[in-house]
């Protein structure tokens, strides 16, 4: 498969690029502006086309002089540049444009751990971690843009796909699973006929910055403190994960007294949903901007070339739920397993509607026990989830029985599901999409003014 879009790697100084940092992370900008920087303190500006590797198999990838994205140890990367970046598996970097997804691909699912967005700092855990770390460095990968990116309408028509293959170099084999749609989007976004530009940009600190911190050079104390504070904040949940797991053990001990033999897989999903609800792990949201992919360009390709006419080309991308985000909503699909921790499915697995009902019952019990004080979660983000969010459950064959709503209702409360700038009046929400057939929405409870 031939890709036409190229990456770029350039060594720069702070004054060359500081305005881009100011726009995305003013506090970092202010700290760096106080540093006694010299000519040695360069930054490596790396630009990545959509879908390219940033981290793979524990190795940083950057563009070589020809614009091809290769691993840092590739022979085409100069020894000088390699020395400036290999002080850690992941050097400290600042995202200034576009975003990326941290993921691990398993045989039956892709786990999305995190999203790196403009203003975010990476490589902090690696910088401050002990050399004999528990981190298995070859586990996680990082892609430029969204790796788990889903179009709701079906895009598996043979004749229509042949047009994408001819015009945009799409893979010859029609990729029918949700997880494999990314290969189609990547091919289209990197073809010369695709008009919309998309780039993920990261500024990596060279080794001179790290040497100044290690050597306790004068004037660098505040910067080191800033990095440590960010690393501490990023690790907040993971440092306290054992406590959260114990809370769930207490809850499950109480749950078996109310629900006879709850399905272990449904319990895993319920626990995962609480992590999505607190913003620890991402769910999915309809894309309405180009932060994680060239969304509008992809939508246009599937309407103009592939021939989507009846359904709006809604594209779902990973997103961290936030109580501070107005009208926030994220989705989890039972058809798209992304569990960080899972239990084996039963061989006699019930219908999706039955799963939804059991997950709903588990979460309602969890909410009840948190509110009545049976679970000690006061003054934690988990308690905010209990008090300030709601969950809605959807299935294409539901009739609002037992609180399971029909998928046709989804865009009524969430207009972003029908976002498409070139939408025609005849186009509809893809309410029979496999993704929404067994879907859970997490959203903010409406706020009410104090009486």
């Amino acid at each position: 498969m031939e890709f036409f879009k190229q990456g770029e790697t350039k060594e720069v100084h702070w004054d060359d690029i500081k305005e881009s940092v100011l726009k995305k992370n003013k506090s970092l900008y202010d700290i760096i502006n106080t540093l006694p920087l010299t000519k040695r303190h360069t930054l490596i500006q790396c630009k990545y086309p959509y879908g390219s590797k940033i981290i793979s198999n524990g190795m940083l990838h950057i563009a070589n002089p020809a614009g091809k994205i290769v691993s840092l140890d590739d022979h085409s990367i100069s020894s000088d540049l390699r020395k400036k970046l290999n002080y850690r598996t992941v050097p400290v970097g600042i995202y200034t444009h576009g975003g990326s997804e941290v993921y691990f691909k398993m045989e039956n699912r892709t786990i999305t751990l995190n999203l790196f967005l403009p203003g975010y700092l990476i490589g902090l855990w690696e910088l401050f971690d002990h050399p004999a770390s528990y981190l298995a460095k070859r586990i996680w990968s990082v892609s430029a843009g969204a790796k788990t990116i889903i179009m709701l309408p079906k895009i598996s028509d043979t004749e229509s796909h042949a047009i994408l293959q001819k015009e945009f170099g799409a893979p010859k084999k029609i990729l029918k699973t949700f997880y494999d749609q990314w290969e189609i989007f990547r091919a289209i976004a990197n073809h010369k006929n695709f008009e919309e530009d998309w780039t993920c940009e990261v500024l990596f600190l060279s080794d001179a910055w790290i040497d100044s911190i290690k050597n306790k050079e004068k004037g660098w104390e505040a910067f080191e403190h800033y990095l440590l504070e960010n690393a501490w904040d990023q690790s907040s949940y993971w440092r306290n994960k054992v406590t959260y797991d114990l809370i769930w053990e207490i809850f499950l001990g109480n749950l078996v007294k109310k629900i006879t033999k709850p399905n272990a897989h449904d319990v895993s999903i319920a626990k995962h949903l609480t992590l999505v609800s607190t913003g620890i792990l991402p769910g999915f949201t309809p894309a309405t901007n180009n932060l994680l992919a060239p969304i509008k360009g992809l939508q246009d390709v599937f309407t103009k070339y592939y021939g989507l006419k009846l359904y709006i080309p809604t594209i779902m991308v990973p997103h961290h739920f936030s109580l501070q985000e107005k009208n926030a909503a994220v989705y989890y699909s039972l058809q798209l397993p992304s569990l960080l921790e899972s239990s084996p499915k039963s061989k006699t697995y019930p219908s999706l509607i039955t799963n939804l009902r059991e997950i709903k019952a588990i979460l309602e019990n969890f909410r009840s026990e948190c509110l009545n004080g049976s679970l000690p979660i006061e003054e934690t983000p988990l308690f905010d989830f209990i008090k300030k969010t709601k969950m809605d459950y959807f299935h294409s064959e539901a009739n609002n029985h037992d609180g399971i709503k029909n998928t046709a209702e989804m865009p009524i409360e969430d207009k972003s599901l029908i976002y498409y700038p070139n939408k025609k009046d005849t186009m509809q929400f893809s309410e029979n999409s496999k993704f929404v057939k067994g879907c859970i929405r997490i959203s903010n409870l409406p706020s009410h003014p104090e009486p």
Side-chain angles (χ1 to χ4, degrees), residues 191-217:
H191 196 271
K192 61 184 178 182
N193 292 340
F194 188 72
E195 297 178 354
E196 188 168 1
D197 289 329
W198 189 94
T199 300
C200 176
E201 180 180 288
V202 189
L203 298 172
F204 290 107
L205 305 186
S206 66
D207 58 341
W209 295 66
I210 309 309
D211 290 343
S212 292
I213 293 173
K214 283 184 177 180
N215 296 333
K216 304 296 181 184
E217 294 179 12

Side-chain angles (χ1 to χ4, degrees), residues 55 60 62 72 84-94 121-124 126-127 202-207 210:
I55 306 288
L60 175 68
I62 62 174
L72 189 61
K84 289 176 178 177
L85 288 175
N86 70 1
Y87 55 86
R88 285 291 186 274
T89 304
V90 180
V92 177
I94 310 157
L121 284 161
I122 65 168
L124 299 183
E126 290 84 355
L127 178 65
V202 189
L203 298 172
F204 290 107
L205 305 186
S206 66
D207 58 341
I210 309 309

Side-chain angles (χ1 to χ4, degrees), residues 247-283:
I247 287 170
W248 265 86
E249 285 300 310
I250 297 169
F251 168 65
L252 291 177
N254 297 336
L255 183 67
V256 294
K257 301 172 186 176
K258 303 176 182 179
I259 299 178
T260 304
K261 293 184 179 180
N263 184 295
H265 190 68
D266 288 341
V267 170
S268 296
I269 293 173
K271 183 179 179 181
H272 181 86
L273 286 169
T274 62
L275 294 179
V276 173
S277 301
T278 53
I280 300 300
L281 296 174

Side-chain angles (χ1 to χ4, degrees), residues 100-103 112-116 120 234 280-282 320:
S100 64
E101 178 179 344
V102 185
Y103 69 94
T112 302
L113 180 70
N114 202 0
L115 301 174
F116 296 151
Y120 194 92
Q234 290 179 14
I280 300 300
L281 296 174
H320 285 283

Side-chain angles (χ1 to χ4, degrees), residues 29-46:
Y29 170 89
D30 290 340
I31 288 283
I32 294 179
N33 259 349
T34 68
L35 296 177
L37 299 175
T38 68
K39 290 183 179 181
R40 295 185 305 110
H41 296 99
T42 58
L43 302 99
I44 313 303
Q45 184 183 44
C46 295

Side-chain angles (χ1 to χ4, degrees), residues 117-185:
L117 304 177
Y120 194 92
L121 284 161
I122 65 168
L124 299 183
W125 293 18
E126 290 84 355
L127 178 65
F128 294 113
D129 208 354
H130 192 276
S133 171
Y134 285 97
L135 174 63
K137 295 177 175 59
R138 295 183 62 183
I139 290 288
W140 299 104
S141 296
V142 180
S143 68
K147 173 73 172 181
T148 45
I149 178 170
I150 310 301
M151 183 170 286
L152 294 190
K154 282 186 178 180
I155 52 172
S156 56
D157 180 78
T158 303
E159 293 183 5
S160 297
H161 185 80
I163 297 173
L164 296 183
Q165 183 184 334
K166 178 182 176 181
E167 297 292 333
F168 297 97
K172 293 182 180 180
K173 180 182 178 182
I174 297 179
L175 307 172
K176 297 183 179 181
T177 67
F178 278 135
Y179 288 122
D180 293 335
Q181 286 187 9
W182 169 81
E183 293 190 36
I184 299 175
F185 299 144

